[in-house]
Short mmCIF file of all heavy atoms in Angstrom, two decimals:
data_model
loop_
_atom_site.label_atom_id
_atom_site.label_comp_id
_atom_site.label_asym_id
_atom_site.label_seq_id
_atom_site.Cartn_x
_atom_site.Cartn_y
_atom_site.Cartn_z
N GLU A 59 -110.99 -40.56 -49.46
CA GLU A 59 -110.68 -39.69 -48.32
C GLU A 59 -109.52 -38.78 -48.73
O GLU A 59 -109.03 -38.91 -49.86
CB GLU A 59 -110.30 -40.54 -47.10
CG GLU A 59 -111.51 -40.91 -46.25
CD GLU A 59 -112.18 -39.69 -45.66
OE1 GLU A 59 -111.53 -38.64 -45.52
OE2 GLU A 59 -113.38 -39.78 -45.32
N GLY A 60 -109.05 -37.93 -47.89
CA GLY A 60 -107.93 -37.11 -48.22
C GLY A 60 -107.91 -35.77 -47.55
O GLY A 60 -108.53 -35.60 -46.52
N VAL A 62 -107.37 -31.29 -48.31
CA VAL A 62 -107.15 -30.14 -49.16
C VAL A 62 -106.05 -29.27 -48.53
O VAL A 62 -106.18 -28.93 -47.34
CB VAL A 62 -108.43 -29.29 -49.36
CG1 VAL A 62 -108.15 -28.09 -50.26
CG2 VAL A 62 -109.55 -30.15 -49.93
N SER A 64 -103.29 -25.96 -48.78
CA SER A 64 -103.01 -24.71 -49.48
C SER A 64 -101.54 -24.33 -49.24
O SER A 64 -100.90 -24.77 -48.28
CB SER A 64 -103.92 -23.60 -49.01
OG SER A 64 -103.62 -23.26 -47.67
N ILE A 66 -99.45 -20.49 -49.61
CA ILE A 66 -99.41 -19.12 -50.06
C ILE A 66 -97.95 -18.64 -49.98
O ILE A 66 -97.33 -18.76 -48.92
CB ILE A 66 -100.28 -18.17 -49.17
CG1 ILE A 66 -101.72 -18.68 -49.14
CG2 ILE A 66 -100.19 -16.73 -49.65
CD1 ILE A 66 -102.53 -18.42 -50.40
N GLY A 70 -97.62 -13.25 -50.74
CA GLY A 70 -99.06 -13.21 -50.86
C GLY A 70 -99.56 -13.05 -52.30
O GLY A 70 -100.76 -12.94 -52.55
N LYS A 71 -98.65 -13.13 -53.27
CA LYS A 71 -99.00 -12.91 -54.67
C LYS A 71 -99.26 -14.23 -55.42
O LYS A 71 -99.75 -14.22 -56.53
CB LYS A 71 -97.89 -12.13 -55.41
CG LYS A 71 -97.52 -10.81 -54.77
CD LYS A 71 -98.68 -9.83 -54.83
CE LYS A 71 -98.26 -8.48 -54.18
NZ LYS A 71 -99.41 -7.67 -53.89
N GLU A 77 -105.85 -30.93 -53.90
CA GLU A 77 -106.55 -32.01 -53.22
C GLU A 77 -105.78 -33.28 -53.41
O GLU A 77 -105.53 -33.67 -54.55
CB GLU A 77 -107.98 -32.18 -53.74
CG GLU A 77 -108.69 -33.35 -53.04
CD GLU A 77 -110.08 -33.65 -53.60
OE1 GLU A 77 -110.62 -32.84 -54.33
OE2 GLU A 77 -110.61 -34.75 -53.27
N ASP A 83 -109.58 -41.94 -43.57
CA ASP A 83 -109.36 -40.71 -42.85
C ASP A 83 -108.15 -40.84 -41.92
O ASP A 83 -107.47 -39.86 -41.59
CB ASP A 83 -110.60 -40.31 -42.05
CG ASP A 83 -110.49 -38.90 -41.50
OD1 ASP A 83 -110.12 -38.02 -42.30
OD2 ASP A 83 -110.76 -38.72 -40.31
N ARG A 193 -106.41 -32.94 -58.00
CA ARG A 193 -106.53 -31.71 -58.76
C ARG A 193 -105.82 -30.58 -58.02
O ARG A 193 -105.57 -30.67 -56.81
CB ARG A 193 -108.01 -31.32 -58.91
CG ARG A 193 -108.79 -31.36 -57.61
CD ARG A 193 -110.25 -31.10 -57.80
NE ARG A 193 -110.98 -31.32 -56.54
CZ ARG A 193 -112.19 -30.89 -56.28
NH1 ARG A 193 -112.86 -30.20 -57.17
NH2 ARG A 193 -112.78 -31.14 -55.13
N THR A 195 -105.11 -26.00 -58.16
CA THR A 195 -105.30 -24.68 -58.78
C THR A 195 -104.14 -23.81 -58.29
O THR A 195 -103.72 -23.91 -57.16
CB THR A 195 -106.59 -24.03 -58.31
OG1 THR A 195 -107.68 -24.84 -58.74
CG2 THR A 195 -106.77 -22.64 -58.91
N ALA A 198 -101.81 -16.59 -59.53
CA ALA A 198 -100.78 -15.56 -59.37
C ALA A 198 -101.46 -14.22 -59.63
O ALA A 198 -102.15 -14.06 -60.65
CB ALA A 198 -99.60 -15.78 -60.30
N VAL A 199 -101.29 -13.26 -58.73
CA VAL A 199 -101.97 -11.99 -58.86
C VAL A 199 -101.60 -11.34 -60.21
O VAL A 199 -100.42 -11.27 -60.54
CB VAL A 199 -101.59 -11.04 -57.70
CG1 VAL A 199 -102.05 -9.60 -58.00
CG2 VAL A 199 -102.18 -11.49 -56.41
N GLY A 200 -102.61 -10.86 -60.91
CA GLY A 200 -102.36 -10.11 -62.14
C GLY A 200 -102.19 -10.94 -63.40
O GLY A 200 -102.08 -10.40 -64.50
N GLU A 201 -102.17 -12.27 -63.30
CA GLU A 201 -101.93 -13.11 -64.48
C GLU A 201 -103.17 -13.33 -65.32
O GLU A 201 -103.08 -13.65 -66.49
CB GLU A 201 -101.32 -14.47 -64.07
CG GLU A 201 -102.39 -15.36 -63.48
CD GLU A 201 -101.90 -16.75 -63.09
OE1 GLU A 201 -100.78 -17.14 -63.42
OE2 GLU A 201 -102.72 -17.47 -62.46
N GLU B 59 -102.94 -5.10 -58.75
CA GLU B 59 -102.24 -5.61 -57.55
C GLU B 59 -103.23 -6.46 -56.75
O GLU B 59 -104.37 -6.59 -57.12
CB GLU B 59 -101.70 -4.45 -56.74
CG GLU B 59 -100.30 -3.98 -57.14
CD GLU B 59 -99.29 -5.10 -56.94
OE1 GLU B 59 -99.49 -5.98 -56.11
OE2 GLU B 59 -98.24 -5.10 -57.62
N GLY B 60 -102.79 -6.98 -55.62
CA GLY B 60 -103.74 -7.74 -54.82
C GLY B 60 -103.12 -8.82 -54.02
O GLY B 60 -101.91 -8.80 -53.73
N VAL B 62 -103.49 -13.27 -52.92
CA VAL B 62 -104.14 -14.59 -53.00
C VAL B 62 -104.28 -15.10 -51.57
O VAL B 62 -103.35 -15.14 -50.81
CB VAL B 62 -103.29 -15.60 -53.83
CG1 VAL B 62 -104.01 -16.94 -53.89
CG2 VAL B 62 -103.04 -15.06 -55.23
N SER B 64 -105.99 -18.02 -48.87
CA SER B 64 -106.56 -19.36 -48.78
C SER B 64 -107.33 -19.51 -47.46
O SER B 64 -107.10 -18.77 -46.52
CB SER B 64 -105.46 -20.42 -48.84
OG SER B 64 -104.66 -20.36 -47.68
N ILE B 66 -108.58 -23.03 -45.17
CA ILE B 66 -108.77 -24.49 -45.04
C ILE B 66 -109.64 -24.70 -43.83
O ILE B 66 -109.32 -24.26 -42.72
CB ILE B 66 -107.43 -25.23 -44.86
CG1 ILE B 66 -106.45 -24.92 -46.03
CG2 ILE B 66 -107.66 -26.73 -44.74
CD1 ILE B 66 -106.76 -25.57 -47.33
N GLY B 70 -109.81 -30.06 -42.67
CA GLY B 70 -108.87 -30.28 -43.77
C GLY B 70 -109.57 -30.86 -45.01
O GLY B 70 -108.92 -31.20 -46.00
N LYS B 71 -110.90 -30.96 -44.99
CA LYS B 71 -111.64 -31.59 -46.09
C LYS B 71 -112.17 -30.56 -47.09
O LYS B 71 -112.63 -30.91 -48.15
CB LYS B 71 -112.82 -32.39 -45.54
CG LYS B 71 -112.47 -33.45 -44.53
CD LYS B 71 -111.65 -34.54 -45.12
CE LYS B 71 -111.29 -35.59 -44.09
NZ LYS B 71 -110.21 -36.44 -44.51
N GLU B 77 -108.52 -14.93 -55.28
CA GLU B 77 -107.65 -13.81 -55.64
C GLU B 77 -108.49 -12.54 -55.55
O GLU B 77 -109.53 -12.42 -56.19
CB GLU B 77 -107.11 -13.95 -57.06
CG GLU B 77 -106.24 -12.71 -57.44
CD GLU B 77 -105.76 -12.73 -58.89
OE1 GLU B 77 -105.83 -13.78 -59.54
OE2 GLU B 77 -105.33 -11.66 -59.36
N ASP B 83 -99.82 -2.06 -54.32
CA ASP B 83 -99.31 -3.04 -53.37
C ASP B 83 -99.48 -2.53 -51.94
O ASP B 83 -99.59 -3.28 -50.99
CB ASP B 83 -97.84 -3.36 -53.65
CG ASP B 83 -97.37 -4.55 -52.85
OD1 ASP B 83 -98.07 -5.56 -52.84
OD2 ASP B 83 -96.30 -4.44 -52.22
N ARG B 193 -111.32 -14.15 -58.86
CA ARG B 193 -111.65 -15.56 -59.09
C ARG B 193 -111.49 -16.33 -57.81
O ARG B 193 -110.81 -15.91 -56.89
CB ARG B 193 -110.73 -16.14 -60.17
CG ARG B 193 -109.27 -15.81 -59.93
CD ARG B 193 -108.35 -16.34 -61.02
NE ARG B 193 -106.99 -15.83 -60.81
CZ ARG B 193 -105.92 -16.35 -61.41
NH1 ARG B 193 -106.05 -17.33 -62.28
NH2 ARG B 193 -104.72 -15.86 -61.18
N THR B 195 -111.53 -20.71 -56.17
CA THR B 195 -111.70 -22.13 -56.33
C THR B 195 -112.01 -22.72 -54.98
O THR B 195 -111.51 -22.25 -53.96
CB THR B 195 -110.40 -22.78 -56.84
OG1 THR B 195 -110.05 -22.25 -58.10
CG2 THR B 195 -110.55 -24.29 -56.98
N ALA B 198 -113.69 -29.66 -52.18
CA ALA B 198 -114.12 -30.49 -51.06
C ALA B 198 -113.70 -31.91 -51.39
O ALA B 198 -113.96 -32.41 -52.46
CB ALA B 198 -115.63 -30.39 -50.87
N VAL B 199 -113.07 -32.58 -50.43
CA VAL B 199 -112.57 -33.92 -50.65
C VAL B 199 -113.70 -34.87 -51.06
O VAL B 199 -114.74 -34.90 -50.39
CB VAL B 199 -111.87 -34.47 -49.38
CG1 VAL B 199 -111.60 -35.98 -49.51
CG2 VAL B 199 -110.57 -33.75 -49.13
N GLY B 200 -113.49 -35.59 -52.15
CA GLY B 200 -114.44 -36.61 -52.55
C GLY B 200 -115.58 -36.15 -53.42
O GLY B 200 -116.37 -36.95 -53.88
N GLU B 201 -115.67 -34.83 -53.72
CA GLU B 201 -116.82 -34.33 -54.49
C GLU B 201 -116.56 -34.49 -55.99
O GLU B 201 -117.52 -34.47 -56.79
CB GLU B 201 -117.06 -32.85 -54.17
CG GLU B 201 -116.00 -31.96 -54.80
CD GLU B 201 -116.23 -30.46 -54.61
OE1 GLU B 201 -117.28 -30.07 -54.07
OE2 GLU B 201 -115.30 -29.73 -54.96
#
Side-chain angles (χ1 to χ4, degrees):
Chain A
E59 272 297 337
V62 180
S64 68
I66 304 285
K71 305 294 180 197
E77 178 185 346
D83 190 47
R193 48 184 173 164
T195 298
V199 168
E201 74 177 353
Chain B
E59 270 298 336
V62 180
S64 69
I66 304 285
K71 305 293 181 197
E77 178 185 346
D83 191 47
R193 48 183 173 164
T195 299
V199 168
E201 74 178 353

